[in-house]
Amino acid sequence: MKLKLGIDPDIVAMMAAEVKAGEKAVTAAMREAGTGLKTAWRGQISGAGLGRRLANSIRSQTFPKAGESLNAAALVWSKAPVIVGAHDTGPLIRSKDGFWLAIPLPAAGKSLRGGRITPGEWERRRGLRLRFVYRRRGPSLLVAEGRLNSRGLGVASRSKTGRGRATVPIFLLVPQVRLPKRLDLGRDAERALDSVPGLIVARWVKDRF
């Protein structure tokens, strides 16, 4: 008795097709998960009132950059990692020199370079010296002998008689400050990771059936 075994269609071709389908499904799933996480992080940052510019610092990239692979991966990162990381962790910030942190009050105005103005920049721009005022209760101060202009900014007094001159608080001085935690990036990252198996299955089924 002779037995003859035939395989139709060819099993090698079938396996190759399944591997190709798997590569396509995994790559597409990782791309979708990465894009979704980027969108979620940008939404968190915008929702926390940190601005669209910082939100747009979040980027994503799928690897391999070209082609498909069963080992595909997605990378999501920020081009401003220090700023985003600070709002994500809520760190305790201390002065670099071990003395005081100068927190500008509304009368200080803003820096010409963007962000918070420093005492040194304020003195150069206003032509006034700041004076230290120690307070036993509450933060100490840096004040200037001048006046408030129509915009509420501390400026030099032009009065020769001293009329309208006042001691204007310009900076609060504190030894340290804790930045409030305004983001929870880990939460969205875990959700994106948990979604990957389902995305792979959904992509594979869509392409195969």
Side-chain angles (χ1 to χ4, degrees):
M1 178 182 294
K2 293 183 179 181
L3 296 176
K4 184 178 180 180
L5 178 64
I7 301 176
D8 188 25
D10 182 63
I11 190 171
V12 176
M14 289 179 61
M15 292 182 65
E18 290 302 317
V19 170
K20 186 64 177 178
E23 291 175 340
K24 186 176 181 180
V26 171
T27 303
M30 295 308 300
R31 183 179 296 111
E32 184 174 346
T35 300
L37 180 56
K38 178 183 70 174
T39 300
W41 280 5
R42 285 184 173 185
Q44 267 205 63
I45 293 171
S46 296
L50 299 175
R52 181 173 296 180
R53 183 176 180 180
L54 187 61
N56 288 340
S57 76
I58 303 298
R59 305 296 174 87
S60 66
Q61 177 66 60
T62 304
F63 299 93
K65 294 183 178 180
E68 297 162 341
S69 172
L70 290 174
N71 296 317
L75 175 65
V76 182
W77 76 98
S78 171
K79 296 185 71 176
V82 175
I83 299 174
V84 172
H87 288 293
D88 185 43
T89 60
L92 185 66
I93 301 175
R94 294 185 175 92
S95 172
K96 293 181 180 179
D97 55 19
F99 291 99
W100 302 96
L101 288 173
I103 311 298
L105 295 168
K110 296 183 179 180
S111 172
L112 293 176
R113 296 169 294 181
R116 291 181 175 180
I117 191 171
T118 65
E121 181 185 355
W122 191 92
E123 288 184 331
R124 290 191 298 271
R125 288 175 56 189
R126 302 302 182 193
L128 292 173
R129 297 290 295 176
L130 292 167
R131 179 167 58 87
F132 174 75
V133 176
Y134 173 75
R135 296 197 299 176
R136 181 176 298 179
R137 297 181 179 179
S140 296
L141 301 169
L142 287 178
V143 303
E145 302 302 326
R147 63 182 179 86
L148 289 175
N149 66 11
S150 59
R151 294 185 296 166
L153 301 178
V155 296
S157 174
R158 298 176 181 174
S159 174
K160 296 182 179 180
T161 63
R163 183 179 180 181
R165 183 175 299 172
T167 299
V168 182
I170 306 298
F171 292 91
L172 288 178
L173 296 176
V174 295
Q176 61 188 29
V177 63
R178 183 172 293 279
L179 190 69
K181 179 177 171 60
R182 304 173 72 178
L183 304 173
D184 189 354
L185 304 182
R187 177 196 64 201
D188 288 341
E190 289 180 3
R191 289 175 179 173
L193 184 62
D194 291 342
S195 72
V196 170
L199 291 173
I200 293 175
V201 172
R203 287 286 183 172
W204 186 84
V205 170
K206 179 181 179 182
D207 292 337
R208 296 297 292 159
F209 298 100

